[in-house]
Amino acid sequence: MIDELTLEDSVRKLASILKTNFDFSAKEIPDTPIKDAKKILGIGQGAETKENADRAIEDGKALGLAIGGSRPAAEVHHFIGMDRFIGMSGQKANADLYIAAGISGSKPHLKGIENVKTVVAINTDPNAPIFKNADYGIVGDMNTVLPMLVKELVGAEEKPAGELYECTLCGYVYDPAIGDPENGIAPGTPFEDLPADWSCPMCGASKEDFIPYKK
């Protein structure tokens, strides 16, 4: 357990450890298949609301992590898709790094991460089972800790890649943070910088058929 004088100090220490052991410039696509992802953010019920979960997902993208989570986060709260939950009856992770945010650590979930090399736990309950199965842990609210971790690992001055754009024909949303790697568009490419001949990877619509995405 990392327990410095303040929560900020604890997050700073965790960030230092992670920087030493992992390359955060190598970004995962958020929906990389769980079994193939090397770095994963797992979101649990500790997010509390869909809005918080969405912010956590954005933090995960900023850190370059694939997104997964617990079964309740998917099945009960719909924070993530059912194809993204990790556990005995779900997906099995083989990652180098798994950050369990707001996940208590039920036995079925732990079965899904038993092949993970390094587990980081963030939870408000110091007695949560996840801590006994983690390499590093911070007692704290994931909704507070994750943004702090992004600030330490990515930098407060990093500019967002740009706004989302939606295809008016099929509904596909272009996310600059993800890009379109299958078609040669690197993560971090703003929509405005896409080639004029770029087309929707889902339906083939032209760039002109996209409009700013409104949640």
Side-chain angles (χ1 to χ4, degrees):
M1 193 83 73
I2 298 175
D3 186 18
E4 301 297 299
L5 289 176
T6 66
L7 182 60
E8 289 81 1
D9 289 337
S10 293
V11 173
R12 197 170 294 119
K13 182 173 181 179
L14 173 61
S16 177
I17 292 169
L18 294 178
K19 280 180 183 178
T20 301
N21 292 285
F22 301 97
D23 178 12
F24 285 91
S25 67
K27 305 284 189 181
E28 293 274 359
I29 296 174
D31 60 356
T32 299
I34 295 296
K35 65 182 179 62
D36 299 326
K38 296 301 181 185
K39 298 191 295 293
I40 302 171
L41 170 64
I43 296 172
Q45 297 187 91
E48 296 182 341
T49 68
K50 184 66 165 61
E51 290 74 19
N52 286 341
D54 288 344
R55 281 193 286 269
I57 288 171
E58 291 305 312
D59 289 335
K61 290 179 181 178
L63 292 170
L65 309 179
I67 306 299
S70 66
R71 182 167 185 163
E75 190 173 52
V76 179
H77 302 286
H78 309 295
F79 294 158
I80 56 172
M82 285 296 291
D83 62 331
R84 307 299 297 176
F85 88 79
I86 298 168
M88 186 165 58
S89 59
Q91 304 296 316
K92 305 297 190 295
N94 302 294
D96 295 327
L97 172 66
Y98 180 64
I99 299 178
I103 293 176
S104 63
S106 66
K107 288 183 179 179
H109 187 76
L110 294 176
K111 278 290 183 182
I113 62 172
E114 58 187 2
N115 293 328
V116 173
K117 293 179 181 176
T118 301
V119 176
V120 174
I122 302 168
N123 201 290
T124 56
D125 180 5
N127 297 312
I130 191 70
F131 285 119
K132 294 181 180 179
N133 295 271
D135 299 279
Y136 305 101
I138 287 182
V139 176
D141 186 342
M142 60 169 281
N143 303 305
T144 300
V145 173
L146 285 177
M148 294 168 63
L149 198 57
V150 170
K151 181 177 179 181
E152 292 296 327
L153 289 173
V154 181
E157 300 305 318
E158 182 171 283
K159 294 181 180 179
E163 63 179 309
L164 306 178
Y165 275 76
E166 180 178 15
C167 176
T168 56
L169 299 186
C170 73
Y172 165 81
V173 176
Y174 175 78
D175 185 344
I178 300 173
D180 182 12
E182 291 186 1
N183 292 301
I185 306 300
T189 303
F191 182 82
E192 294 79 5
D193 292 347
L194 293 174
D197 61 352
W198 179 83
S199 60
C200 175
M202 295 296 291
C203 73
S206 67
K207 186 177 176 183
E208 287 73 22
D209 290 315
F210 279 71
I211 60 174
Y213 175 68
K214 294 181 180 180
K215 294 183 179 180

